[in-house]
Amino acid sequence: MFPIIALPSLSILLVGKGALLTKRAAQLRAEGMEVTVLDYFPDEDQIAGHAMMFVVGLDLETSKQLRDIAHRYHVWVNVHDTPDLCDFNVPSIMRQGDLLISVSTGGKAPGLAKRIRHHLEKLLGLDWDKRITKLHAVRQDWKKEELSYNEMVKRMDALIDKEGWL
């Protein structure tokens, strides 16, 4: 699995019902994605115009039908809690400013991924956005010095150790 971070430019369709529909719509929009939300079975034209489709809160047979239609139009599909019907999985995400950590079990144990994410949040604490801003500024200075990649890595490790961040 390769986590894809920047998806706002893709056309995303969300089909389903219930609380999961509302929750997934909020998650996608919080990541800056434009989402079309439908609480009914869409016609093929409504599916064909999208790059990705999320299916939530629907029975297995309906989800399979939607997946099959989507595949005819080369639309990637994620069916909530049904890895066998998914073209991609949605990881559990921890975000603090520009720091993004994703945890995935390939859809096999999402509860475990969520627990690991919560553990990492407690372990790492807060203020990572300020740290990233500082590291970025220092890294820009090092680039101006035309340091090699390996030298920049050594200096970054030394700074992180000096600050006691990890």
Side-chain angles (χ1 to χ4, degrees):
M1 181 171 123
F2 188 81
I4 300 173
I5 297 169
L7 297 176
S9 63
L10 296 179
S11 176
I12 297 173
L13 177 63
L14 174 58
V15 180
K17 63 180 180 180
L20 285 174
L21 182 69
T22 304
K23 180 180 177 184
R24 181 63 76 201
Q27 290 170 331
L28 294 169
R29 288 181 177 136
E31 292 297 323
M33 297 179 206
E34 290 289 325
V35 183
T36 301
V37 181
L38 301 178
D39 61 357
Y40 58 87
F41 196 100
D43 62 38
E44 291 195 23
D45 288 341
Q46 289 173 303
I47 295 173
H50 293 85
M52 295 177 141
M53 179 172 66
F54 289 82
V55 178
V56 298
L58 299 178
D59 63 82
L60 185 60
E61 187 57 37
T62 302
S63 297
K64 284 181 183 178
Q65 290 173 357
L66 287 167
R67 187 237 9 224
D68 292 345
I69 294 168
H71 282 177
R72 284 200 293 271
Y73 295 97
H74 308 287
V75 175
W76 287 13
V77 178
N78 176 279
V79 178
H80 178 77
D81 208 20
T82 314
D84 293 345
L85 296 182
C86 295
D87 299 315
F88 63 97
N89 294 305
V90 178
S92 186
I93 297 172
M94 172 189 153
R95 182 183 297 277
Q96 291 183 22
D98 286 325
L99 177 64
L100 175 75
I101 297 175
S102 65
V103 180
S104 177
T105 59
K108 294 178 181 170
L112 175 62
K114 184 177 179 179
R115 291 275 309 267
I116 291 170
R117 176 181 54 88
H118 285 298
H119 178 74
L120 289 172
E121 287 172 340
K122 290 176 189 172
L123 182 68
L124 292 174
L126 301 174
D127 295 328
W128 284 96
D129 202 37
K130 292 176 186 174
R131 294 171 186 178
I132 290 169
T133 299
K134 179 178 181 173
L135 291 172
H136 176 71
V138 170
R139 189 169 180 264
Q140 295 309 308
D141 290 341
W142 293 339
K143 282 184 172 182
K144 290 176 188 172
E145 294 178 38
E146 297 183 6
L147 297 177
S148 71
Y149 174 78
N150 289 336
E151 182 59 29
M152 288 192 347
V153 168
K154 286 179 190 177
R155 287 188 181 191
M156 186 72 63
D157 285 343
L159 179 58
I160 291 167
D161 289 343
K162 177 184 166 203
E163 297 289 339
W165 292 340
L166 294 175

